[in-house]
Amino acid sequence: MNIKTKRKVNSILTHILIYAVLFVTIFPILWMLLASFQPNQSIINANKGLFDFVPTLENFISVITEYDFLSYTWNSFAVAVMATFFSLLIGLPCAYAIARFKMRKSSVVVLMVRMIPGISFLLPWFSIFSAIGLRNTLAALVLSHMLVALPFIVWTMIPNFEAIPAALEEAAWIDGCNKYSAFFRIVLRLSTPGIVTASLLAFIFSWNNFMFSLILAGRDTTTLPVAIFNFVSYAYVDWGGLMAA
């Protein structure tokens, strides 16, 4: 087999692998989209084909008229943004200090906090937030979501800060910058890709968080994951409404 043929075979195999992974990734989303336009009975009936149904908008109408999804969306967005912002505010200086001063023990402590199952914090949080009047508030959700976002941002940014040569900061000091100015003008600007990545992932973790919101949120602070869970009851699942939501 010559080089040209080998490259062609490798290209074909690569494309087959890519399309296979793409299909596995997209199929659940496709099924969710198709199910949102079907009556519940049609979804449950396993004998019918994937495309064998009469489209209906009843599920979307039910979701819009019976549930306040705009409010739930705003709650999720507000909590995710604030949790990410305050985690960056605390996590970036923390990660920088750990990276520059080789504070390995501190980094291990941060990692251990992240490794502890979040459910073990729920009872203490519930008691504390109830005692200080923060239960059923967005502030309680923001503080609880920071437990996930803050350690993640710290551990994501430590390698980014370690990759920046200390000589760049020293040059900035010689040019008249103090340590804080060099941090904001030099280090943070060079770390922008890492900060954007950490921020997006922290936002997604907060947006999708279900457990903390289920216990700590109230009627006016319900987030989207909890609102979507309302379509699941003890003996019945409204699959059409769930997929539309």
Side-chain angles (χ1 to χ4, degrees):
M1 184 183 296
N2 56 40
I3 297 177
K4 187 176 180 180
T5 305
K6 185 180 294 186
R7 287 179 178 177
K8 189 173 182 178
V9 171
N10 289 337
S11 177
I12 293 173
L13 293 176
T14 301
H15 280 79
I16 291 175
L17 179 61
I18 291 174
Y19 289 128
V21 173
L22 191 62
F23 174 78
V24 172
T25 305
I26 291 180
F27 181 78
I29 301 175
L30 175 62
W31 186 91
M32 179 180 67
L33 179 63
L34 294 174
S36 67
F37 290 100
Q38 300 182 44
N40 212 48
Q41 189 60 36
S42 177
I43 300 173
I44 297 175
N45 188 359
N47 295 325
K48 301 184 69 175
L50 184 63
F51 298 95
D52 184 14
F53 67 93
V54 179
T56 176
L57 294 176
E58 291 181 1
N59 296 322
F60 290 95
I61 295 173
S62 174
V63 167
I64 294 173
T65 57
E66 297 180 18
Y67 299 91
D68 188 12
F69 262 76
L70 287 179
S71 176
Y72 303 149
T73 303
W74 166 251
N75 290 338
S76 289
F77 181 78
V79 170
V81 168
M82 288 190 288
T84 303
F85 173 77
F86 287 114
S87 296
L88 286 172
L89 195 64
I90 300 172
L92 291 178
C94 177
Y96 173 77
I98 292 174
R100 277 290 176 262
F101 301 105
K102 309 299 180 183
M103 302 166 64
R104 301 303 180 190
K105 293 182 179 179
S106 299
S107 64
V108 172
V109 171
V110 173
L111 181 62
M112 289 176 62
V113 172
R114 182 65 184 89
M115 292 173 63
I116 297 174
I119 195 171
S120 62
F121 293 93
L122 283 178
L123 182 58
W125 272 337
F126 185 85
S127 302
I128 293 172
F129 291 148
S130 298
I132 62 179
L134 283 182
R135 190 166 67 89
N136 301 337
T137 63
L138 293 181
L141 295 179
V142 171
L143 292 172
S144 62
H145 287 199
M146 287 176 63
L147 177 73
V148 177
L150 183 55
F152 176 80
I153 288 175
V154 170
W155 265 84
T156 301
M157 293 309 302
I158 288 175
N160 282 270
F161 290 141
E162 288 178 339
I164 299 175
L168 294 177
E169 296 174 68
E170 295 170 358
W173 299 343
I174 295 174
D175 289 338
C177 290
N178 55 36
K179 291 186 177 181
Y180 299 102
S181 180
F183 174 72
F184 285 104
R185 293 186 177 185
I186 306 297
V187 178
L188 289 188
R189 289 188 179 183
L190 293 176
S191 304
T192 299
I195 294 174
V196 171
T197 301
S199 301
L200 287 174
L201 293 177
F203 180 90
I204 292 171
F205 291 154
S206 177
W207 178 272
N208 290 329
N209 191 284
F210 171 76
M211 181 177 60
F212 299 155
S213 301
L214 179 65
I215 303 301
L216 301 175
R219 181 177 180 181
D220 297 328
T221 56
T222 301
T223 56
L224 274 176
V226 178
I228 293 176
F229 183 69
N230 290 333
F231 289 91
V232 180
S233 62
Y234 176 74
Y236 178 76
V237 179
D238 183 5
W239 290 107
L242 181 63
M243 296 302 101

